[in-house]
Amino acid sequence: MPVNNYAAYLKSLHSGEAGVIALAKQMNGIAALDDLDAKKVSEKENIRLTGTLGIVKVGYKLLDFISTLRSQRQSAAVQF
């Protein structure tokens, strides 16, 4: 997918952070960043962001959700 305005962010950020911010802005998504300079740019551009702990939190909730679904499926299978 082509990313708009990527080059504009290269003035102050590394290519990885510039790409993440440009794509998050283009898709109205959430940027996953831990770099302080990238966080500042993201906040200035009104781009939602999360860091490593935010990603871990989502993963934990997803694992809990999957575990709950498996338990429910196993309970339903026993009832039939």
Side-chain angles (χ1 to χ4, degrees):
M1 158 181 259
V3 179
N4 302 329
N5 299 325
Y6 169 75
Y9 298 111
L10 287 174
K11 296 174 186 172
S12 59
L13 302 172
H14 295 286
S15 61
E17 288 94 4
V20 168
I21 288 175
L23 190 58
K25 185 166 186 161
Q26 180 177 318
M27 298 187 71
N28 195 28
I30 300 172
L33 302 163
D34 282 329
D35 181 78
L36 183 59
D37 291 334
K39 286 181 178 184
K40 288 178 183 177
V41 170
S42 180
E43 290 170 358
K44 180 181 174 190
E45 296 283 332
N46 295 318
I47 298 169
R48 296 178 300 159
L49 68 115
T50 188
T52 304
L53 291 178
I55 293 171
V56 170
K57 182 178 176 183
V58 169
Y60 180 79
K61 287 182 179 181
L62 183 60
L63 287 175
D64 186 47
F65 176 73
I66 291 170
S67 176
T68 300
L69 284 178
R70 284 183 179 159
S71 294
Q72 289 174 350
R73 192 173 85 191
Q74 288 172 350
S75 295
V78 171
Q79 292 174 4
F80 288 108

